[in-house]
């Protein structure tokens, strides 16, 4: 950086681009593709906040376990889809403030 010159902030994206939902959806989809597709048990235990035994049970039921040469991996997409069946609707009433 040269001495004597001041740095001026220049925004990267306009406010319109920031609030563009389609653009944000594209970015979110791209980020989802970049995340790891397979997890080892230790990683999955941390990400899903589950014990080893419970994770093994649910991943087995989901059919998300892949075993290769002594390495056990869990495929995230399959496991996430399986977990969605346990989702409950919110019991909070909307509109109250």
């Amino acid at each position: 950086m040269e001495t004597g010159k001041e740095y001026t902030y220049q925004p990267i994206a306009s406010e319109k681009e920031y609030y563009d939902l389609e653009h944000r959806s594209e970015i979110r989809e791209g980020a989802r593709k970049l995340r790891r597709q397979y997890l080892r048990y230790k990683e999955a235990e941390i990400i899903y906040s589950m014990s080893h035994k419970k994770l093994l049970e649910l991943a087995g039921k989901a059919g998300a376990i892949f075993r290769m040469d002594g390495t056990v991996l869990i495929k995230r997409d399959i496991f996430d889809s399986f977990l969605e069946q346990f989702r409950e609707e919110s019991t909070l009433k909307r509109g109250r403030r």
Side-chain angles (χ1 to χ4, degrees), residues 36-45 52-53 55-61 63-76 79:
R36 296 183 64 187
Q37 291 183 3
Y38 296 92
L39 299 170
R40 292 178 183 247
Y41 274 123
K42 288 285 184 191
E43 297 164 335
E45 288 170 12
H52 182 82
K53 184 176 178 180
L55 184 67
L56 180 63
E57 176 190 337
L58 292 176
K61 285 182 182 178
I65 296 176
F66 291 78
R67 297 177 194 272
M68 299 171 292
D69 300 328
T71 302
V72 179
L73 301 173
I74 296 173
K75 185 159 185 181
R76 283 184 89 159
F79 193 60

Side-chain angles (χ1 to χ4, degrees), residues 77-93:
D77 292 341
I78 295 172
F79 193 60
D80 287 342
S81 296
F82 178 77
L83 289 179
E84 278 296 314
Q85 73 180 341
F86 299 105
R87 182 176 168 269
E88 293 182 6
E89 292 295 322
S90 174
T91 57
L92 299 175
K93 293 182 182 178

